[in-house]
């Protein structure tokens, strides 16, 4: 399958005629040839989005929402096929891929509804015979740059609110997940999005990404990816006074107190640490455990991890799929070596699986470290793989302090039966998302998604919070007194 860019309502080849291969990380199959577009393709896409903006912003928001409703119906009809394609291009197990598509469906219906809400407000004027209101306005061209780990959810969290708010879009997906990006844009086009309103450009960050963040024709940037790239995006886009939303990962922890339901905690930990092979921004990579249950929890986790089955995501016996590529396997393994050098105790895992059935894919054994201290690199840096570190604490105060010590602040969780501990945690865990008696993953699309400190720059995605990013406020004063009234001066 050879993919094309989508610019100004037409599927087009990259002007340089270059392509790269997209590989199934579970077995090494080539799944697509992807345009390695240049700066010129990105500039054409930005130009197309600029031209389409004036008419799109005047389409009544309920009509824009209706198109998204159709998109939601089409995604729903094609959920199974899309999930299967996702597993092939990035490895996550089928059930999780279907969940990823479901997030897109939910977001389509939610944002379709926003077409008829997008509420502003009225407020009294300080002067007589004068009316005051605040309305949401579109902004312009949105540059959307997305990672490979949620090939449907993340693009839809960004593109759908951008569109319902009346912006046009230039979309650069990760090179590892082009097929889902292609399918999504195809569906948007079929559902009736006018030419130029959504444009898709495949290519590298250094060519296409750089063009989008630097071009004066782009007004806002929504980026999900690494902390390091995010800082660069903020610098370049900041120079152009663009509005920028950054979602930059986490070092999320689950706290387990002595009074926790351990069976429930173990299920939540395994799902959060090894779901998507640990390749979620929200994945749990630290376990903060009160000393009284530390040994028991370690033993239970060891036994359960030993029974997790690695394999291709389309095999229904698989619990844990491959990592995205060889580079990721090497990065994960280098952290395992760092942990051992730092003096952490390797409980289980810590290597590539030796069985030859795994030799064509990028597999890594689910890994547990114990006796980790909160300063170690494995307890502070984002690994983005199936590596979990157990830290021992004496009480809730220490658990919260350890949780908040890292530079990231996306998601956190506590397992306890004590209502006082629950409310102290809600108040004091310094993350954008807090779970009680559930793991760190599984955010729902109608609540704000995002984190504090090094996780981003203060914006939130999803829910109505997304409208705050993709629209701007316009304050409107209507004076029907028939005379000049001076605010702050005429009493
Ligand atoms: C991400 O890892 O970037 O809460 C997004 C979750 C998913 C989204 C994760 N709904 O884990």
């Amino acid at each position: 399958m050879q993919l094309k860019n989508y610019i100004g309502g037409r599927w087009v080849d990259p002007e340089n005629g270059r392509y790269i291969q997209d590989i199934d990380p579970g077995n090494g199959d080539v799944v697509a040839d992807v345009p390695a577009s240049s700066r010129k393709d990105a500039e054409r896409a930005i130009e197309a989005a600029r031209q389409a903006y004036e008419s799109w912003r005047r389409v009544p928001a309920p009509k824009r929402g209706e198109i998204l409703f159709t998109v939601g119906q089409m995604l729903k009809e094609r959920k199974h096929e899309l999930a299967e394609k996702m597993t092939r291009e990035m490895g996550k197990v089928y059930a999780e891929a279907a969940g990823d598509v479901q997030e897109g469906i939910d977001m389509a219906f939610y944002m379709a509804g926003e077409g008829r809400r997008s509420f502003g407000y009225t407020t009294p004027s300080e002067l007589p015979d004068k009316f005051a209101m605040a309305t949401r306005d579109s902004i312009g061209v949105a540059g959307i740059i997305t990672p490979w780990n949620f090939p449907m959810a993340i693009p839809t969290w960004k593109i759908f609110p951008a569109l319902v708010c009346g912006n046009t879009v230039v979309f650069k997906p990760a090179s590892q997940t082009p097929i889902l990006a292609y399918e999504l844009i195809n569906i948007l086009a079929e559902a009736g999005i006018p030419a130029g309103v959504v444009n898709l450009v495949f290519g590298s960050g250094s060519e296409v990404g750089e063009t989008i963040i630097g071009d004066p024709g782009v007004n806002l940037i929504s980026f999900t990816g690494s902390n390091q790239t995010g800082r660069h995006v903020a610098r370049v886009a900041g120079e152009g006074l663009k509005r920028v939303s950054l979602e930059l990962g986490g070092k999320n922890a689950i706290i387990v107190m002595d009074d926790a339901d351990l069976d429930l905690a173990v299920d939540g930990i395994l799902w959060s640490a090894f779901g998507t092979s640990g390749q979620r921004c929200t994945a749990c990579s630290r376990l903060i455990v009160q000393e009284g249950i530390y040994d028991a929890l370690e033993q239970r986790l060891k036994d359960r991890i030993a029974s997790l089955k690695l394999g291709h995501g389309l095999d229904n016996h698989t619990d844990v799929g491959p990592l995205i590529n060889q580079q990721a396997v090497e990065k994960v393994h280098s952290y395992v070596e760092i942990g051992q050098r730092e003096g952490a105790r390797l409980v289980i895992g810590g290597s590539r699986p030796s069985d030859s059935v795994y030799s064509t894919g990028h597999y890594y054994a689910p890994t547990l470290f114990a006796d980790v201290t909160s300063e170690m690199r494995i307890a502070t840096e984002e690994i983005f793989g199936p590596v979990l570190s157990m830290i021992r604490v004496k009480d809730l105060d220490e658990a919260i302090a350890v949780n908040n010590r890292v530079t990231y602040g996306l998601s956190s969780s506590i397992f306890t039966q004590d209502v006082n501990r629950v409310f102290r945690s809600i108040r004091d865990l310094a993350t954008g998302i807090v779970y009680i008696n559930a793991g760190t993953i599984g955010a729902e699309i109608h609540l704000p998604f995002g984190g504090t400190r090094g996780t981003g720059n203060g914006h939130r995605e999803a829910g109505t919070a997304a409208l705050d990013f993709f629209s701007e406020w316009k304050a409107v004063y209507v004076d029907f007194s028939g005379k000049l009234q001076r605010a702050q001066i005429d009493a």
Side-chain angles (χ1 to χ4, degrees), residues 144-150 154-155 157-158 172 174 221-227 229-230 233 245-249 281 384 449 455 461:
I144 307 281
I145 304 177
T146 58
W148 49 265
N149 69 330
F150 276 82
I154 294 179
W157 295 354
K158 297 180 191 300
K172 185 202 108 54
I221 303 285
S222 181
F223 169 84
T224 298
S226 75
N227 187 286
T229 308
V233 170
S245 169
L246 303 170
E247 191 54 59
L248 309 176
C281 306
F384 224 63
F449 182 90
T455 289
E461 306 200 79

Side-chain angles (χ1 to χ4, degrees), residues 6-10 48-49 51-53 55-56 168 189 192-199:
Y6 188 70
I7 298 175
R10 290 177 43 235
Q51 280 182 17
Y53 173 61
S55 57
W56 180 246
T168 57
I193 289 286
V197 170
V198 173
N199 303 274

Side-chain angles (χ1 to χ4, degrees), residues 1 18 67 122-123 182 207 279 290-291 312-313 393 447 463:
M1 183 180 197
R18 288 213 205 104
I67 301 178
T122 62
T123 182
Y182 165 83
E207 280 279 324
Q279 303 172 110
Q290 200 174 7
E291 53 200 7
H312 194 283
V393 292
L447 279 81

Side-chain angles (χ1 to χ4, degrees), residues 231-475:
R231 285 167 195 268
H232 174 73
V233 170
R235 271 194 298 273
V236 176
E239 186 60 38
L241 295 183
K242 299 187 203 315
R243 184 184 285 214
V244 186
S245 169
L246 303 170
E247 191 54 59
L248 309 176
K251 188 69 189 173
N252 314 293
I254 292 178
I255 297 170
V256 187
M257 301 305 291
D258 283 350
D259 66 357
D261 174 341
L262 268 203
D263 292 330
L264 179 63
V266 167
D267 286 340
I269 292 162
L270 294 173
W271 172 230
S272 303
F274 304 120
T276 328
S277 309
Q279 303 172 110
R280 290 195 191 212
C281 306
T282 51
C284 169
S285 64
R286 298 185 297 151
L287 206 49
I288 302 171
V289 186
Q290 200 174 7
E291 53 200 7
I293 41 111
Y294 191 96
D295 295 339
L297 182 59
E298 179 188 324
Q299 188 57 47
R300 286 207 206 192
L301 286 172
K302 184 179 177 187
D303 295 344
R304 288 282 299 277
I305 291 170
S307 69
L308 291 176
K309 180 141 174 25
L310 272 180
H312 194 283
L314 291 179
D315 175 345
N316 45 25
H317 301 295
T318 297
D319 296 308
V320 180
L323 299 184
I324 187 69
N325 55 27
Q326 190 52 29
Q327 228 180 322
V329 172
E330 280 159 23
K331 179 181 173 198
V332 167
H333 191 64
S334 77
Y335 270 104
V336 167
E337 290 172 341
I338 289 167
Q340 286 174 305
R341 277 204 299 278
E342 286 177 310
R345 176 165 52 86
L346 183 62
V347 177
I348 188 168
S351 61
R352 301 166 182 88
S354 51
D355 196 320
S356 65
V357 297
Y358 298 116
S359 62
T360 51
H362 304 299
Y363 294 94
Y364 201 87
T367 298
L368 180 66
F369 274 111
D371 299 342
V372 177
T373 63
S374 64
E375 301 79 30
M376 289 181 183
R377 286 182 62 194
I378 56 169
T380 52
E381 296 175 19
E382 188 176 44
I383 300 174
F384 224 63
V387 180
L388 179 61
S389 292
M390 286 183 79
I391 302 166
R392 193 184 307 261
V393 292
K394 54 179 194 314
D395 55 23
L396 183 61
D397 285 338
E398 189 184 354
I400 289 172
V402 168
N403 179 77
N404 294 350
R405 192 168 293 157
V406 294
T407 53
Y408 293 102
L410 183 53
S411 180
S412 56
S413 133
I414 180 166
F415 284 86
T416 178
Q417 312 273 14
D418 179 334
V419 69
N420 299 328
R421 286 171 162 171
V422 167
F423 276 88
R424 280 178 57 204
S425 301
I426 293 171
R427 186 190 60 195
D428 295 335
L429 291 171
T431 52
I433 305 171
V434 172
Y435 289 95
I436 308 299
N437 290 327
T440 54
I441 69 177
E444 301 176 28
I445 66 94
H446 52 303
L447 279 81
F449 182 90
T452 62
R453 300 168 286 137
T455 289
N457 61 345
H459 290 287
R460 293 291 184 270
E461 306 200 79
T464 50
L467 305 181
D468 294 333
F469 179 73
F470 286 106
S471 66
E472 58 193 347
W473 287 110
K474 182 176 275 179

Side-chain angles (χ1 to χ4, degrees), residues 79 83 86 92-106 150 152-153 271 280 445:
K79 180 175 173 182
M86 188 187 300
K92 68 170 70 171
V93 298
Y94 175 80
E96 291 184 37
D100 191 328
V101 177
Q102 186 61 44
E103 290 200 49
I105 297 167
D106 295 340
F150 276 82
M152 180 61 78
W271 172 230
R280 290 195 191 212
I445 66 94

